[in-house]
Amino acid sequence: MGQCCAEFDIWEANREAEVMTSHPCTREGYFTCQGNDCEWNGVCDKGGCGVNPYLMNNRNFYGKGSQFTVDTSKPFTVVTQFLTNDGTDHGHVVDIRRHYVQN
């Protein structure tokens, strides 16, 4: 028995790699799961669907050093936007955009 809910990892990162991952569930809200529903292939996507530039063949986007677009040896800012169908804070999310600001 366990507790399940959808999860969104807005930014998992270190100086070498980063990823943004959604973990949707087939049920809404926070709920108790039992047996197979709690397993890896249960009602929630345990592995998630991640966006990782390196795994998407952009090998020089994020990392330590001047050869990377985002040089993690220097300060930078990460901005994540959640765009909704009606442009309000209460609409349904239809797009997620990520911006990296450096220099």
Side-chain angles (χ1 to χ4, degrees):
M1 180 176 280
Q3 299 296 317
C4 292
C5 64
E7 174 187 351
F8 187 80
D9 301 323
I10 197 165
W11 197 44
E12 297 176 293
N14 58 31
R15 69 179 186 185
E16 303 296 330
E18 62 97 16
V19 65
M20 174 175 58
T21 308
S22 63
H23 300 272
C25 296
T26 57
R27 293 180 52 188
E28 289 189 24
Y30 182 74
F31 54 92
T32 300
C33 60
Q34 290 183 306
N36 290 337
D37 283 349
C38 297
E39 299 300 322
W40 186 261
N41 292 322
V43 295
C44 294
D45 183 356
K46 307 282 192 290
C49 181
V51 177
N52 177 316
Y54 187 87
L55 293 178
M56 298 171 85
N57 277 334
N58 193 347
R59 306 291 166 113
N60 295 318
F61 179 72
Y62 183 95
K64 185 178 179 184
S66 61
Q67 71 271 29
F68 294 98
T69 302
V70 177
D71 179 357
T72 60
S73 68
K74 298 178 180 178
F76 63 95
T77 301
V78 178
V79 178
T80 305
Q81 296 175 305
F82 295 87
L83 304 174
T84 61
N85 62 331
D86 61 4
T88 70
D89 291 344
H90 304 288
H92 295 282
V93 175
V94 294
D95 195 12
I96 301 170
R97 296 182 185 169
R98 171 67 53 86
H99 303 277
Y100 300 83
V101 182
Q102 188 169 49
N103 297 326

